[in-house]
Structure formats: structure tokens, C-alpha cells
Amino acid sequence: MVDAALIQKCADPSLKPAIVERFIKQAGSSDPLAVTVRSGNRVILVPKPNTIEEAIEIIRQNVGHNVVRVGVTQYPAGLGITEAGQLKPALVDACENVRMGTALFAKVYRIVTKWYGSPVEEAFEDSIIAWQTGYFEGKAVFRAPDPGEVKLAEPMKEPDGVTDEDARSEPQDNENPEASDTASKRNPNEAAMRVDLSRIGGSR
């Protein structure tokens, strides 16, 4: 869990704290030194850095050859970097990483929301996917121009103890007409008879 004070102090002001918190929960890391390296769809195992210097060295070894994500927001380390020597320790500073990451995610969120044409919840979920892949509808979102001011939807709050996956896996009443029979769900003995049993045991 990311500290609320860190979000309040460092996150991009165009995103409400609830959006930032969910963004980091779904796409980020609780470890400011976290470095994730991917080649295509394959995750490359790298040593877990214990210091800023170790984290920067791992990034230097992989940036330009692989996709490198770093820090609390899993910021794309190679963005705007033409050579490894341009990498700065700020990438793995928690506050600076949140500042840069949320500003970039806010742009991605605006791009996706503008494509939808209205501030809908699906835009947030697609923005998370775009953040993780770097693409939305074939567009490289990190380098795409910012569409400017766009009204953003606030993600729906998750009930305590219920995850998005749990909610998606539970059948909804409107998907099953019989699910509205609340009496049968409370006590099967109170359910209305659905099968005619009157002839059982009668003469053949």
C-alpha cells in the first residue's frame, strides 16, 4: 500500500488521490527500487536491488535493449533517454517517481478517455492496460501528444474485501432471471415448486 501522504505530496494534481491509489495498486509497486525488465512478453529475471546505485546499474544494463519499468509507478525508464548515461537517480526516488509516473499516466488516461468520447469506467481500465503495454489502439501513448483538458471518470470504489475479479466472476441478477427468486436463495425449502411431483408413486 502506498502512503497517502506520498500521493498527496507528489502525485500529479490533475488526478484525484483515489485514482492515483488505484493506478499504483493495479500497475505499480510498493517498492521504490523495483525494476522490471521485459523482452517481448517474457519477463527477464534481474537481481533485486537494495540500493539506488544497484537499481540504476540494472536499468543501465537493460535500457535500450529491453523494456524497463521502475519504481512505485513502474515508470518506463527508457522514455526520453538516448543513452544510458542520461539516467538519473530520481527515477527510483519515491516522490519523483510518483510525480513523473502520475503525470504520464494522466496523459494516457486523457488519450483513452478522449477516444471513448466520454468519461466512462472502461477508460480507466484500458488506460491501465495502455500503461502496461505502452500502446492503445495501435498508438504509442507515451510519445503521443497530450489531448489537453479532458474530463476523467473516477474509478468505482471497490467494496471492502471484494476485488474487481470477484465482482466480475459473480453472476449478476440481470444475467439470470431465476436469480431474482430471493426466497429460494435464502432457504431452498421456501422455493416455489418447479417440477410436478404429483404423479410419483401413482399407478402406471
Side-chain angles (χ1 to χ4, degrees):
M1 179 67 68
V2 177
D3 184 52
L6 180 69
I7 292 176
Q8 190 70 33
K9 176 185 176 183
C10 309
D12 189 272
S14 68
L15 295 178
K16 293 192 175 180
I19 296 178
V20 175
E21 184 177 344
R22 191 171 172 190
F23 158 55
I24 294 174
K25 179 181 177 182
Q26 292 186 219
S29 171
S30 59
D31 181 6
L33 298 178
V35 179
T36 305
V37 181
R38 285 187 173 86
S39 177
N41 293 324
R42 184 169 59 93
V43 175
I44 298 176
L45 296 179
V46 296
K48 184 182 184 302
N50 295 308
T51 65
I52 290 175
E53 291 74 21
E54 289 177 2
I56 292 297
E57 184 56 32
I58 292 171
I59 297 169
R60 280 200 183 103
Q61 291 171 1
N62 290 278
V63 75
H65 310 289
N66 301 298
V67 176
V68 183
R69 298 299 186 94
V70 60
V72 175
T73 63
Q74 289 293 277
Y75 185 86
L79 187 64
I81 300 294
T82 57
E83 57 183 43
Q86 294 176 317
L87 292 168
K88 299 187 182 305
L91 277 172
V92 288
D93 174 80
C95 186
E96 188 65 15
N97 186 278
V98 168
R99 185 190 67 77
M100 295 188 301
T102 54
L104 185 58
F105 178 73
K107 184 186 80 166
V108 172
Y109 197 4
R110 288 190 288 268
I111 290 171
V112 175
T113 299
K114 185 175 181 180
W115 182 87
Y116 269 95
S118 61
V120 294
E121 169 69 10
E122 290 83 354
F124 178 84
E125 297 300 334
D126 277 352
S127 296
I128 292 292
I129 296 172
W131 177 265
Q132 293 169 330
T133 63
Y135 289 88
F136 177 71
E137 291 294 309
K139 178 187 293 185
V141 289
F142 297 146
R143 292 181 170 82
D146 194 323
E149 188 172 345
V150 175
K151 180 175 174 57
L152 303 174
E154 293 190 40
M156 293 182 295
K157 292 183 179 179
E158 300 173 14
D160 291 341
V162 178
T163 64
D164 282 348
E165 186 174 346
D166 293 334
R168 284 194 294 269
S169 63
E170 292 177 358
Q172 302 298 312
D173 287 353
N174 59 3
E175 295 174 356
N176 181 2
E178 292 185 2
S180 61
D181 188 352
T182 55
S184 66
K185 287 190 288 184
R186 288 196 304 270
N187 186 343
N189 295 323
E190 295 177 4
M193 185 178 293
R194 300 184 187 279
V195 179
D196 184 2
L197 304 177
S198 61
R199 298 182 62 185
I200 294 178
S203 58
R204 294 183 179 179

